[in-house]
Amino acid sequence: MKNARTTENVTGLSAAEAAERLISEGYNELPSSGQRGLFALVFGIVREPMFLLLVACGVVYMVLGDLQEALMLLGFVFFVMALTLYQERKTEHALDALKDLSSPRALVVRDGAERRIAGREVVRGDILVISEGDRIPADAELLSCLNLSVDESLLTGESVPVRKSVHDGQTMEVHSGGEDLPFIFSGTLVVQGQGIARVIATGVHTEIGKIGKVLQSVEEEETLLQRETGQWVRQLAVVGLSLCFLVIIFYSLTRGDWLNGLLAGVTLAMATLPEELPVVLTIFLAMGAWRISKKHVLTRRMPAIETLGSSTVLCVDKTGTLTMNCMTVSKLFVGKDFLDLSSLSRHSMPEEFHELVEFSILASQLDPFDPMEKAIKTLGDDYLIETEHLHKDWLLVHEYPLSKELLSLSRVWKSSEREEYIIAAKGAPEAIIDLCHCDEQERVRLSTYIAAMADQGLRVLGVARGYFQEPLLPGQQHDFVFEFLGLIGLTDPVRPTVSPAIAECYRAGIRVVMITGDYPGTASNIARQIGLKKSDVWITGPELERMTEQELQQRVNEVNIFARVVPEQKLRLVTALKANGEIVTMTGDGVNDAPALKAANIGIAMGGRGTDVAREAASLVLLDDDFSSIVQAIKLGRRIFDNIRKAIAYILAIHVPIAGLSLFPVLFQWPLLLFPAHIAFLQLIIDPACSIVFEAEGEESDVMNRPPRKSTEPLFSHRTVVLSLLQGVMVLLAVLVVFWLAVSRGESEEKVRAMTFTTLMISNLSLILTNRSWSRTFVNSMRFTNRALLPVVAGALLFLGIVLYLPFFVTLFRFAKLDPIDLLLTLSAGLGSVLWFEGLKWFKTSKFVQKVE
């Protein structure tokens, strides 16, 4: 038997030719992703409005001499900047991962001799020598091969290795996927056989290099939360600064006191500038990343956590995501009987199926690398280990490989107990039937069973046996007399957690779309198993290729299965869905998924089976490859968004009375009620409340039983803004009522200020409590644990007591001590300021309960 790895009479390139091509065409690697310098990254960060506001507030405090508050705010600046810099440095390594993957070591023929060189030094025209287990270093055409099969799932997404054949010299289109093609591709893996090939493309010109180019061209987008928050900050900043200048001018002109006018203007600016927003976003997303890691999900881009909760479409890659990417034997057929192995315990296989398994093992490698042969070996280990049907002592005499003409292989064995040769054959059922010379009636009968197994999404193999007594073996398989033994059905099993996870997605209003390189029948069968809607309708890659962008945008809304899809088409599908206004989440694990992962609103890579390229391109990584973790991540994403909305609603509400108490004394020529020290004190409560208390709040009961937020819906709907501002206005009215009562009683300026400030503090705590949930009343919310709530509330009351009754702080804050009647009045007003909102929630909840009943 001729060895396909023989390099006799093959000289290959000379060392000089290889060196010349290396200089002219470059190394066999992908260019590193261009990274911005540290100065450029810092400049990009500090020009964001959020960071500018933090810096501005810190400078204001510093000018006013409040060094502690200034240092705290500036500390936030450096913390957020360092965190953002770290994320920026981690986000653009996908091309570097491609570079490493595409540069394994290679065995080449140079100057007539085999040499092992670094994969990056392979050049066009090199002769590659490949064998089982090798990672192919460059795209090449086959000059010779024996029983060569290559795993191209890296490029195509198909879990089954494809058979290769020798190039016949005719001009052909170079593409991956499909049987009997004479091309092998960089980064793919040889699972069986051996061969010699001539390199036709290296570096960026390879198939994996083309994916790298697409990946490099995909631009990431800002999340909805980033865009909306930035817009809010800019608008509030303009309003705050404008009011600041107007107050300075008005106060100075009406009272002739420029110093106090400046103080009043700065106080108003501090009251209205939302410096809490960047802190809230950073802490919520950082804590969200920590919480989501407990669900075995690694966060690579923190803003993606919020967007995940808004996902409307989940695009799922079949191989390795929905399935295990591990072939197993699931069904056997002998005579007229099927055997479903899922219902069979170990060592309990009926005797009539033993020979089928025995000869399928004999027709496979002893130590297989091919996933189908691994599955057959496992089958034997599970069911035949204690029988006489395993023959580790037999001698392999000869092997007849697969060919284009006959899609079967035969292995000839010799036993010390028998004089004759034993031949085991396996391959495509039609080829095995042909080898067995079955009559037409038998062919029709067997075809029915084959079709039944194929319709179940199984990959079907036929198995036959033969015996031969002559001393010289024949030249081809057809010269043996074979007996048909039966059929073996293999499947790539569905992950057990997928079906309930899909159902959870549907309850949450999330559409699930399968995108795979596999055949439509197989994809449809998998879809039925996992409960995917419209499992009998699909679009294939060739059909998709003929569609215009407008046609695709229309059809993509009607179909949930896309089969025989190539990498560029996955990217087109994601783009079409986004053009329809969908928030797209894409899962995947192969190099072929990387461009779509990066283009999607949220890319989720498989951490265990996924390639480095997929992980680097994705926003999130499933560390345990468990599809159900996606549902937990979506649930947490929705909780995070809800809590961000609550926190920012609280920030809007509390800034209304603070701004009002800073503005009204200027307009109506009252004594100034709030000074920078008061604002700084309030910030000590507001900052941890909005960033820690609301972050720790649990999810609402209906978080996974409602549709996702529409892509056109703003962070704050009109209703949300109105209710937030109305909360603030009611608090302002309550504080002004206390102010009016104190003034009408003839209290001193210091006591009026103390009563007003205390009412504002109690109202602030009431706002925290009422905004924990917009669907549950305050009393119901107290049944749900929030570990951050008690320390913040208790600390606020403790600090309030200190500034009201310790002489040093009483003087510093320009207060006067309050008696019990004053405290009761401020407490009643503060709690009463939110009772209307509690009543609104109770009325809404009661009405809903009555409707359900």
Side-chain angles (χ1 to χ4, degrees), residues 94 97 207 280 293 306 439 508 525 543 598 625 702 731 838:
E207 290 298 303
V280 164
S293 68
E306 172 272 327
D439 58 31
N525 181 267
E543 293 171 344
K598 189 172 181 182
D625 284 8
D702 66 339
V731 168
E838 289 296 301

Side-chain angles (χ1 to χ4, degrees), residues 373-565:
E373 293 191 347
K374 281 185 177 180
I376 291 172
K377 184 178 185 297
T378 301
L379 178 68
D381 292 341
D382 287 344
Y383 296 102
L384 301 185
I385 195 67
E386 297 178 358
T387 71
E388 72 280 6
H389 295 285
L390 297 181
H391 310 288
K392 295 184 179 180
D393 57 333
W394 284 15
L395 176 66
L396 178 64
V397 178
H398 191 71
E399 181 175 354
Y400 295 88
L402 288 163
S403 66
K404 287 184 181 180
E405 294 74 25
L406 187 62
L407 301 180
S408 69
L409 62 85
S410 296
R411 308 187 87 208
V412 182
W413 297 88
K414 190 68 176 177
S415 167
S416 59
E417 301 172 358
R418 308 179 65 162
E419 294 184 1
E420 59 189 351
Y421 294 109
I422 304 103
I423 305 98
K426 79 173 191 303
E430 297 79 8
I432 297 299
I433 291 172
D434 186 38
L435 278 181
C436 296
H437 303 291
C438 298
D439 58 31
E440 186 62 28
Q441 183 178 354
E442 182 69 1
R443 287 173 183 268
V444 172
R445 186 183 76 85
L446 291 175
S447 295
T448 303
Y449 296 118
I450 294 167
M453 295 177 74
D455 287 344
Q456 297 173 29
L458 302 177
R459 186 174 178 87
V460 186
L461 294 177
V463 179
R465 71 177 175 192
Y467 301 97
F468 193 75
Q469 293 185 338
E470 297 181 18
L472 294 178
L473 293 173
Q476 55 183 355
Q477 299 178 68
H478 266 296
D479 294 331
F480 296 111
V481 177
F482 282 105
E483 176 188 355
F484 187 85
L485 292 180
L487 303 171
I488 292 181
L490 299 103
T491 183
D492 188 0
V494 171
R495 294 180 182 272
T497 56
V498 168
S499 185
I502 295 284
E504 186 81 5
C505 286
Y506 285 140
R507 285 197 294 274
I510 301 170
R511 178 183 165 209
V512 182
V513 174
M514 182 195 298
I515 303 176
T516 178
D518 218 329
Y519 292 93
T522 304
S524 178
N525 181 267
I526 295 294
R528 286 194 295 271
Q529 292 183 50
I530 64 176
L532 193 71
K533 294 180 180 179
K534 299 180 181 179
S535 59
D536 56 345
V537 181
W538 58 75
I539 292 176
T540 64
E543 293 171 344
L544 188 152
E545 189 67 30
R546 293 191 292 269
M547 293 182 185
T548 65
E549 296 302 324
Q550 291 73 21
E551 291 173 334
L552 180 59
Q553 287 180 30
Q554 180 181 353
R555 292 299 307 279
V556 79
N557 289 326
E558 305 166 355
V559 179
N560 292 333
I561 299 176
F562 295 87
R564 305 300 290 168
V565 171

Side-chain angles (χ1 to χ4, degrees), residues 332-334 337-339 349-357:
L332 302 177
F333 169 78
V334 172
D337 300 322
F338 286 104
L339 179 64
M349 180 181 289
E351 181 67 33
E352 61 266 27
F353 291 92
H354 283 195
E355 272 197 323
L356 171 63
V357 179

Side-chain angles (χ1 to χ4, degrees), residues 726-746:
L726 192 55
Q727 286 185 61
V729 169
M730 295 302 292
V731 168
L732 178 59
L733 289 176
V735 174
L736 290 177
V737 167
V738 171
F739 168 80
W740 178 78
L741 289 174
V743 170
S744 62
R745 284 165 45 185

Side-chain angles (χ1 to χ4, degrees), residues 244 247-248 251 259-269 662 666 672 674:
C244 172
V247 164
I248 293 173
Y251 192 100
L259 182 60
N260 279 325
L262 178 62
L263 187 63
V266 171
T267 302
L268 180 60
S662 302
V666 176
L672 293 179
L674 296 179

